[in-house]
Amino acid sequence: MKAMIEIEAVAKQFCLHNQGGAVIPVLSGAELSVKPGECVALTGSSGAGKSTLMRMIYGNYVTQSGRILIGGLDVARAEPREILALRRQVLGYVSQFLRVVPRVPTRDVVAEPLLALGVPADEARARAEALLERLRIPQRLWQLSPTTFSGGEQQRVNIARGFVHPYPALLLDEPTASLDPVNRETVLCLIDEAKARGAAIVGIFHDAPARARVADREIDVGRFTPGWAA
Amino acid sequence: MTQDTHYNFAYLDEQTKRMIRRALLKAMAIPGYQVPFASREMPMPYGWGTGGVQVSAACLTPSDTLKVIDQGADDTTNAVSIRKFFEKTAQVATTESTRAASLIQTRHRIPEEPLREGQILVYQVPIPEPLRFLEPRETETRKMHALQDYGLMHVKLYEDIARHGNIATSYAYPVKVQGRYVMDPSPIPKFDNPKLRMAAIQLFGAGREQRIYAIPPYTDVVSLDFEDHPFEPSKANHACSLCGADHTYLDEVIVDDRGGRMFVCSDTDYCATRQATGAAPAQTATSQPQEAQP
Amino acid sequence: MTPLFSVRDLRKTYGGRIGCTDVSFDLYPGEVMGIVGESGSGKSTLLNCLAGHLAPDAGQVFYDTRHSGMLDTLRMAEPERRMLGRTDWAFVHQNARDGLRMSVSAGGNVGERLMAVGARHYGQIRAAATDWLGRVEIDAGRIDDRPSAFSGGMQQRLQIARNLVTGPRLVFMDEPTGGLDVSVQARLLDLLRGLVRDMGLSAIIVTHDLAVVRLLADRLMVMKGGHVVESGLTDQVLDDPQHGYTQLLVSSVLQA
């Protein structure tokens, strides 16, 4: 089967122009391939570059060399509008942080990815509500902005946003980090379902049992740390 | 009357009259377009018709017969003094008869009697720019005219309807001339607007603002309006108390200290002519206080 | 897909001083581009050149017109450019007073563009104005009030309604949330996002507020001294800035 996410000879360094032009190499020679229906977990010690690699896949960080192919598009070279279209249709991302316009109701925050795809507002809201229900966000909170929610609630709103559209490729950054056991179980089910429908998933899970349950393979990002190669 | 030969014919010097005539020719060639001209100091204050007087002076010939009206009347101060001015400086014949006049200078009215080919109607104009009240920048209004960017004119009418339920502008009602320029017809009542398409030449002079514009004979003049609020020439809902006319523009005259009032033709010549031919009011000449509307 | 708006080698100088120079970019339908930079960086000069308010010294500004495709708006006849400016384009000023007629009612302000393109039915104009006041969350009962009686946030929303009533495809915004309270800003941002999405608008937004561009803009151009020093996807430029100036700009933002 053809890989959905394909990373070849990728390198990344940060250049801090305002700190004497310090150059910090983070990754080199990174390789990764994820097929539809497969979940790959990124591992490695803190600072090894797990989040950096994830953000490069999302187009959030600049990739200096190599290729990052997602559904055939090279994110490392693509135009902004191509990446935006990719993010709308193909590539979902559940980050650890919730970034939204203040006063927008939770329900609309979750429905937004569908509205951007042109799904009728009624249907988008209904799908958003179903997912919020499943993630046990109390109905009385749907009309409120998630900016005032607790960490765990915000995390679930983020997850709802990431799963409301069946993205063929998904990036998950600590999706179960601040969740109670019941909600954790729900999220793991969502991940299993996404895999079952053929989503290619790259995830970071500090939660080892969760990782063991959903990940098909583990990649130690430490292998790609420049100068640390064995 | 003693003739004062120290004045050039019609007061202005020949060069000035030529300059004004050039502006008039240009104005006739571009109906409704405001042509700048070098307005002169006249021996009367601004607001007393300096623009109209200069245009009249540039048009008058010794064989002309002049009529001057102010709000339709031949006998008001402004009309009398301008008539006297030209009697003195141009020695032209004057008349109060609309029919007998070859050149009529007017302030705020068009005579009721339809004008004919060969006659000239000269208007005194205080503010020639119809867009001024919404767009005070002259550079911008000139550009708007040049580009036919006239949406703003309808904004004014929109505001009227929004505030009063109908287009409350009752005088200086804006018109579009020959499908091109939006023009201020000077503060004539909107009752007179339909008469702006006429056989005579109409010339407009604004002395303080130094602008001349014109409507050649039989030019199309359309009063601006909305489809669902069409233009309506309105007048007081009465007949003239002196001649009984029910189709003329009327002045309201307070006749005593008890609120008694009457409505009479604002065009004094028209009213007098009707009375002379036997026309009479259908009912009592004055309304009594108890009948007066609150 | 062809760009909606395409800028090539734009330059504007004030005497010997550079306003902006060497600016080129393509904007595609539905894209929102932010232009950020500090005061004097040339971002407002650029916006005014793009919108036809200032005449640049050199360059081309192509726009995909509805009737005859890509045209250089700098070489258009003025009537055509003005028509574009009040139908297919919109300009939202930082100060609502610059974009509104303060002596004209809210309804008249919204209706002006319709009347300018030939609307002559009072009832329909008023209905359109009422509809748009609703869409920018202004109570229909305020339709005959003058903008001077409105709060700053309402004035800004009214200005947006006045601009969008003709269904433009390209909106220029100069610091649209500048000078507003934070809570009012959030409401306006949400409104703008919804309008951009629902109407498929393309927009160019000049601001110095990085939080505003993060929420509104798909792409970002960073300007300094009249030059574009960095451009790209908004979150990429903000989260992984490549140019020294952008790094400084991003790291200078005070965290609330």
Side-chain angles (χ1 to χ4, degrees):
Chain A
M1 203 191 295
K2 202 166 171 284
M4 183 68 206
I5 301 173
E6 186 88 59
I7 297 178
E8 298 167 1
V10 157
K12 167 76 185 164
Q13 61 189 37
F14 291 108
C15 178
L16 307 178
H17 294 282
N18 300 303
Q19 290 173 43
V23 175
I24 304 169
V26 188
L27 294 170
S28 75
E31 309 275 342
L32 181 66
S33 173
V34 190
K35 292 198 230 351
E38 197 181 16
C39 177
V40 173
L42 303 181
T43 61
S45 57
S46 201
K50 301 186 291 292
S51 289
T52 299
L53 182 58
M54 189 102 106
R55 289 176 162 204
M56 287 162 69
I57 299 171
Y58 197 58
N60 183 209
Y61 278 8
V62 175
T63 301
Q64 267 92 12
S65 63
R67 301 208 300 167
I68 298 179
L69 292 167
I70 296 166
L73 180 73
D74 184 359
V75 172
R77 302 281 166 272
E79 290 288 318
R81 69 194 160 86
E82 295 173 316
I83 295 179
L84 288 168
L86 184 81
R87 289 179 182 179
R88 263 196 303 276
Q89 289 146 16
V90 178
L91 183 62
Y93 182 38
V94 175
S95 81
Q96 290 176 272
F97 311 100
L98 185 67
R99 224 169 215 154
V100 293
V101 179
R103 78 155 194 154
V104 180
T106 297
R107 191 184 57 180
D108 294 352
V109 167
V110 176
E112 201 187 1
L114 295 176
L115 294 175
L117 281 166
V119 173
D122 289 351
E123 189 193 331
R125 293 220 172 90
R127 279 163 67 181
E129 285 173 4
L131 208 49
L132 286 168
E133 182 107 51
R134 197 169 161 198
L135 285 159
R136 293 176 195 80
I137 302 289
Q139 198 166 344
R140 62 189 158 76
L141 297 182
W142 296 355
Q143 277 306 319
L144 305 178
S145 165
T147 43
T148 55
F149 289 7
S150 72
E153 283 164 344
Q154 290 196 358
Q155 172 79 343
R156 279 177 281 152
V157 171
N158 242 348
I159 288 164
R161 257 175 84 92
F163 283 88
V164 73
H165 169 65
Y167 296 101
L170 258 178
L171 306 176
L172 308 175
D173 192 355
E174 300 276 15
T176 57
S178 44
L179 299 183
D180 58 79
V182 185
N183 284 312
R184 174 175 170 276
E185 181 56 31
T186 305
V187 173
L188 293 177
C189 284
L190 280 171
I191 297 171
D192 281 335
E193 288 166 23
K195 284 172 66 181
R197 65 166 165 78
I201 300 174
V202 175
I204 299 172
F205 306 90
H206 281 147
D207 173 358
R211 180 169 66 222
R213 179 168 148 191
V214 295
D216 301 295
R217 281 188 292 136
E218 292 185 7
I219 299 279
D220 183 355
V221 179
R223 278 167 37 199
F224 310 134
T225 305
W228 284 58
Chain B
M1 184 174 141
T2 52
Q3 294 189 350
D4 193 331
T5 51
H6 294 303
Y7 288 114
N8 190 37
F9 179 76
Y11 184 77
L12 291 174
D13 63 276
E14 292 305 312
Q15 289 302 325
T16 296
K17 287 194 281 188
R18 284 179 66 179
M19 176 270 292
I20 294 173
R21 285 173 197 144
R22 279 192 216 105
L24 287 169
L25 286 173
K26 183 168 179 181
M28 287 288 281
I30 317 171
Y33 173 72
Q34 298 168 45
V35 183
F37 80 109
S39 181
R40 297 293 191 247
E41 291 291 333
M42 298 302 285
M44 61 188 72
Y46 289 122
W48 285 65
T50 55
V53 164
Q54 289 179 81
V55 170
S56 293
C59 291
L60 280 175
T61 64
S63 58
D64 268 315
T65 305
L66 176 70
K67 169 182 164 80
V68 183
I69 51 175
D70 175 5
Q71 306 264 26
D74 292 89
D75 53 3
T76 52
T77 315
N78 193 215
V80 169
S81 59
I82 290 174
R83 192 158 60 232
K84 285 212 169 128
F85 174 77
F86 282 118
E87 280 170 352
K88 185 171 180 182
T89 61
Q91 299 93 42
V92 290
T94 57
T95 179
E96 294 194 359
S97 161
T98 300
R99 213 168 293 182
S102 58
L103 189 149
I104 301 169
Q105 180 170 334
T106 179
R107 174 175 174 268
H108 300 190
R109 266 321 300 278
I110 296 175
E112 302 290 354
E113 171 92 24
L115 299 187
R116 59 172 194 279
E117 288 180 24
Q119 287 183 304
I120 298 176
L121 184 59
V122 175
Y123 295 77
Q124 302 170 198
V125 180
I127 296 168
E129 180 49 72
L131 301 164
R132 170 88 38 94
F133 291 103
L134 289 160
E135 178 51 73
R137 291 170 294 179
E138 178 79 9
T139 48
E140 184 61 22
T141 55
R142 295 184 84 173
K143 195 174 263 184
M144 290 161 83
H145 282 296
L147 301 175
Q148 287 199 68
D149 196 350
Y150 288 137
L152 202 53
M153 213 60 251
H154 273 86
V155 172
K156 184 173 186 289
L157 301 179
Y158 170 95
E159 291 291 285
D160 255 15
I161 303 173
R163 202 159 299 151
H164 307 287
N166 55 56
I167 299 177
T169 301
S170 57
Y171 63 93
Y173 192 102
V175 294
K176 194 165 200 177
V177 181
Q178 199 69 18
R180 179 59 183 85
Y181 284 96
V182 165
M183 189 194 92
D184 183 329
S186 88
I188 59 171
K190 67 177 170 185
F191 174 81
D192 281 344
N193 270 25
K195 295 186 218 154
L196 286 164
R197 187 186 191 279
M198 62 162 71
I201 291 174
Q202 299 171 83
L203 305 175
F204 298 78
R208 179 177 42 209
E209 303 251 352
Q210 315 199 344
R211 292 290 184 277
I212 282 171
Y213 50 103
I215 304 177
Y218 305 112
T219 301
D220 276 334
V221 180
V222 177
S223 302
L224 302 181
D225 61 3
F226 287 102
E227 289 160 18
D228 49 345
H229 285 268
F231 171 76
E232 278 175 23
S234 61
K235 65 182 270 287
N237 189 21
H238 291 272
C240 174
S241 300
L242 300 179
C243 74
D246 58 2
H247 59 280
T248 58
Y249 191 74
L250 302 172
D251 283 340
E252 184 181 357
V253 183
I254 306 295
V255 292
D256 54 35
D257 290 341
R258 293 171 294 121
R261 52 195 191 143
M262 62 193 277
F263 290 89
V264 296
C265 291
S266 100
D267 187 335
T268 51
D269 168 56
Y270 188 75
C271 195
T273 307
R274 273 177 60 88
Q275 290 176 62
T277 55
Q283 50 198 25
T284 53
T286 59
S287 62
Q288 293 307 307
Q290 53 269 39
E291 295 170 27
Q293 290 159 9
Chain C
M1 190 156 65
T2 54
L4 180 71
F5 194 61
S6 186
V7 177
R8 290 291 171 270
D9 307 317
L10 203 69
R11 186 177 76 235
K12 170 76 186 170
T13 53
Y14 300 102
R17 200 161 53 78
I18 293 172
C20 60
T21 187
D22 298 328
V23 179
S24 299
F25 66 87
D26 289 331
L27 189 74
Y28 287 81
E31 268 190 326
V32 178
M33 187 173 83
I35 303 176
V36 298
E38 60 199 4
S39 303
S41 62
K43 55 190 196 302
S44 290
T45 294
L46 175 59
L47 191 74
N48 282 310
C49 285
L50 297 177
H53 298 170
L54 273 178
D57 302 334
Q60 286 118 39
V61 177
F62 293 99
Y63 177 73
D64 186 11
T65 59
R66 289 178 200 252
H67 51 91
S68 37
M70 276 291 185
L71 291 179
D72 186 351
T73 58
L74 300 178
R75 274 149 199 84
M76 265 182 188
E78 172 127 21
E80 206 179 346
R81 190 161 59 226
R82 260 174 110 100
M83 183 55 101
L84 200 60
R86 67 189 179 206
T87 53
D88 236 14
W89 286 9
F91 196 103
V92 176
H93 293 263
Q94 170 175 13
N95 190 341
R97 289 176 169 275
D98 296 334
L100 291 173
R101 292 193 188 280
M102 300 306 281
S103 60
V104 169
S105 70
N109 264 293
V110 177
E112 181 177 343
R113 273 167 76 112
L114 294 174
M115 292 182 245
V117 294
R120 292 293 178 265
H121 191 284
Y122 175 83
Q124 287 166 7
I125 293 165
R126 202 164 166 84
T130 307
D131 174 47
W132 265 99
L133 289 182
R135 286 162 82 165
V136 298
E137 303 169 21
I138 294 175
D139 183 57
R142 306 293 303 268
I143 190 168
D144 292 329
D145 291 352
R146 292 184 179 185
S148 47
F150 287 5
S151 68
M154 275 172 80
Q155 287 181 3
Q156 201 57 293
R157 295 202 301 279
L158 179 63
Q159 194 192 178
I160 288 164
R162 168 182 160 90
N163 269 283
L164 297 188
V165 68
T166 50
R169 292 191 295 165
L170 178 59
V171 185
F172 301 97
M173 298 190 209
D174 190 4
E175 304 272 8
T177 60
L180 298 179
D181 286 347
V182 181
S183 62
V184 177
Q185 267 192 31
R187 187 174 180 194
L188 192 69
L189 285 175
D190 178 35
L191 182 76
L192 283 172
R193 263 162 71 106
L195 290 171
V196 163
R197 186 184 59 217
D198 298 343
M199 298 177 72
L201 296 175
S202 303
I204 297 177
I205 300 173
V206 159
T207 180
H208 60 260
D209 188 335
L210 298 184
V212 167
V213 286
R214 189 186 278 278
L215 291 172
L216 274 183
D218 304 317
R219 290 164 57 192
L220 212 53
M221 245 168 47
V222 182
M223 294 195 71
K224 182 178 192 300
H227 294 264
V228 176
V229 296
E230 184 166 356
S231 64
L233 209 57
T234 301
D235 56 287
Q236 181 255 296
V237 172
L238 294 181
D239 293 341
D240 187 15
Q242 302 297 301
H243 191 276
Y245 175 69
T246 317
Q247 292 182 354
L248 187 68
L249 201 66
V250 170
S251 63
S252 305
V253 174
L254 297 174
Q255 299 291 329

